[in-house]
Amino acid sequence: MPRIIILYYSRNGATQQLADAIANGVSKAGAEPVLRTVACDGDAACQRDLLIETDELADCAGLIMGSPTRFGHMYSGLQKFWEQTSRDWLKGALVDKPAAVFTSSSSMHGGQESTLLAMGVPLLHHGMLLVGIPYTAPELQQTDAGGSPYGASHVEHAAGSKLNQYESRLAEQLGERVANAALKLK
């Protein structure tokens, strides 16, 4: 069964909720979701999921990365992780593997799309195939909170502390799309 790494950081649990919905989508498609986080100080992700090891990258069939929005950019711990992956980059460990991104913010205009685009940069440098959410997904037209063709997202101020039905479904679809792409590429 292909393993899809869901690498994320979550301070208060919103990004973790997206990671869980994405993991449901990965499972629905017939792949194994592997939830991982980066070094942090007892935040939501660290309380439950293991820390990522760079050695895991070579064995995954795909990767989905998530972060809360930090001034239009990803959490610095995720950036630091990617800065330590030169060995994998030189080996081409992630070349031609599907990837996607997801984020959360406390406000509607908190920099979600710039965060999603910025998170895609290290994945593209590693030669990954970036997957988004197509406009044919009806939830993209119905949501009044999170959701973007660039990736799944959650807006706490608009939707509350829990994902709304559209945000949850879009996150699941993103997990399914990456897992399905990994299965087809295998």
Side-chain angles (χ1 to χ4, degrees):
M1 182 181 295
R3 294 169 44 102
I4 307 296
I5 293 176
I6 302 167
L7 173 62
Y8 75 101
Y9 169 77
S10 185
R11 181 175 176 190
N12 296 316
T15 309
Q16 189 173 51
Q17 290 177 54
L18 285 166
D20 290 343
I22 288 167
N24 288 339
V26 168
S27 293
K28 283 182 184 178
E32 178 188 357
V34 179
L35 291 156
R36 293 291 186 263
T37 190
V38 292
C40 50
D41 299 317
D43 294 322
C46 288
Q47 293 175 11
R48 188 188 74 186
D49 296 318
L50 297 174
L51 296 177
I52 184 83
E53 299 289 335
T54 55
D55 296 342
E56 294 179 271
L57 296 177
D59 297 327
C60 76
L63 187 141
I64 307 170
M65 181 171 57
S67 172
T69 295
R70 296 288 183 258
F71 301 102
H73 202 270
M74 74 179 98
Y75 167 67
S76 61
L78 284 167
Q79 179 66 36
K80 183 178 178 181
F81 169 78
W82 288 109
E83 290 170 1
Q84 299 169 7
T85 61
S86 295
R87 186 185 78 222
D88 298 292
W89 174 70
L90 289 169
K91 290 181 184 177
L94 293 170
V95 170
D96 291 336
K97 294 180 181 183
V101 292
F102 61 102
T103 192
S104 63
S105 68
S106 60
S107 64
M108 185 65 83
H109 302 290
Q112 287 190 350
E113 289 187 341
S114 63
T115 300
L116 293 169
L117 292 169
M119 284 193 297
V121 173
L123 305 178
L124 290 168
H125 272 268
H126 273 273
M128 298 193 84
L129 307 171
L130 210 50
V131 173
I133 301 170
Y135 271 109
T136 54
E139 295 84 358
L140 273 182
Q141 305 305 317
Q142 297 164 340
T143 188
D144 59 357
S148 164
Y150 307 122
S153 62
H154 169 68
V155 180
E156 186 172 350
H157 191 68
S161 62
K162 302 276 186 212
L163 303 183
N164 72 26
Q165 64 179 336
Y166 304 117
E167 293 172 330
S168 181
R169 184 63 193 126
L170 288 166
E172 283 186 15
Q173 288 176 28
L174 188 63
E176 287 179 73
R177 292 195 80 224
V178 171
N180 282 329
L183 289 164
K184 289 177 183 174
L185 292 168
K186 187 175 179 189

